[in-house]
Amino acid sequence: MRPRHARAVNRALVLITLGWAAAAGMATARADLVDTYVMTNASAVCATLDSYPSVAGIEGIGQAIMDDGLTPQAAGEVVTRAIVGWCPEHLPELNAFIAKWTTAGSVVA
């Protein structure tokens, strides 16, 4: 059974994944942090998913990003933007992650 903390973290990641487009309206400082993190780490996100192409891979990446000090929402945005922008071949894993944690289903084509 998954610890409650892990479930809460994963749900938080899903919420930002579902609403990542809305992040464009966030404060510049926060956007700069996420933009910088994505630009610096998108290739590592994609490489990790190349090795671990699964929901668990996405969860692990999200946890690692949070361990770097980003919020669950920012981590979800980083993961989503990296996949959409750099490795869209991993969209099925992203959609599976979303499907696991929500009833809304896929939001990324």
Side-chain angles (χ1 to χ4, degrees):
M1 178 173 242
R2 301 177 63 84
R4 284 187 185 193
H5 176 72
R7 287 183 181 177
V9 166
N10 289 329
R11 286 187 182 131
L13 288 170
V14 167
L15 290 176
I16 192 59
T17 301
L18 293 175
W20 74 275
M26 291 182 177
T28 303
R30 176 164 154 65
D32 288 345
L33 175 64
V34 171
D35 289 345
T36 300
Y37 199 95
V38 170
M39 293 302 293
T40 304
N41 296 290
S43 61
V45 169
C46 294
T48 301
L49 285 173
D50 288 343
S51 297
Y52 303 97
S54 63
V55 170
I58 290 178
E59 291 168 350
I61 292 166
Q63 186 61 55
I65 294 169
M66 288 183 292
D67 289 348
D68 283 346
L70 277 73
T71 66
Q73 294 80 12
E77 186 176 346
V78 168
V79 169
T80 300
R81 289 173 59 187
I83 292 171
V84 170
W86 278 265
C87 50
E89 65 273 17
H90 292 296
L91 286 171
E93 291 88 11
L94 178 60
N95 284 324
F97 174 84
I98 294 167
K100 176 179 178 180
W101 295 104
T102 69
T103 58
S106 172
V107 295
V108 182

